[in-house]
Amino acid sequence: REGPILAQSWWVLDRIRATVEAAGGQMSDVVKLVQYFRDLDHFPHYSRVRRLFFPGEPPASTVVEVSAMLPTDDILVEVEATAWIPLKK
């Protein structure tokens, strides 16, 4: 029952990690998350996964429940991340 939200939570946070690292940063550079859920009952499951990616204090966040997401009805969670990555000299 929790499988789809746990898998999708892991996937989206891992994609954010990969993007931040490709830009020369790390997850601690993420300062804000906006999390969109089809069902807010999924938030506790997502939060368990989020703690694996942000073991300390998580970034500031906004949680929004939406009626649908693209590209299919199978999408349960989407996350938008803002990171501040200092330029390397």
Side-chain angles (χ1 to χ4, degrees):
R1 189 176 97 133
E2 298 172 7
I5 188 60
L6 293 174
Q8 289 184 33
S9 298
W10 180 271
W11 189 87
V12 72
L13 290 168
D14 189 54
R15 298 296 3 124
I16 289 169
R17 180 200 52 76
T19 301
V20 168
E21 288 179 357
Q26 52 193 350
M27 289 300 270
S28 61
D29 295 321
V30 175
V31 296
K32 170 89 169 142
L33 296 173
V34 181
Q35 296 122 142
Y36 301 92
F37 292 91
R38 293 277 311 276
D39 182 344
L40 287 179
D41 288 342
H42 290 147
F43 182 76
H45 307 298
Y46 162 82
S47 189
R48 286 186 2 228
V49 175
R50 184 182 65 180
R51 280 192 293 273
L52 299 173
F53 288 86
F54 300 98
E57 189 69 27
S61 70
T62 300
V63 176
V64 180
E65 185 174 38
V66 297
S67 61
M69 284 187 266
L70 295 174
T72 72
D73 287 338
D74 295 331
I75 305 299
L76 302 174
V77 61
E78 184 61 63
V79 180
E80 176 184 325
T82 302
W84 184 81
I85 301 171
L87 293 175
K88 306 275 186 203
K89 293 185 179 186

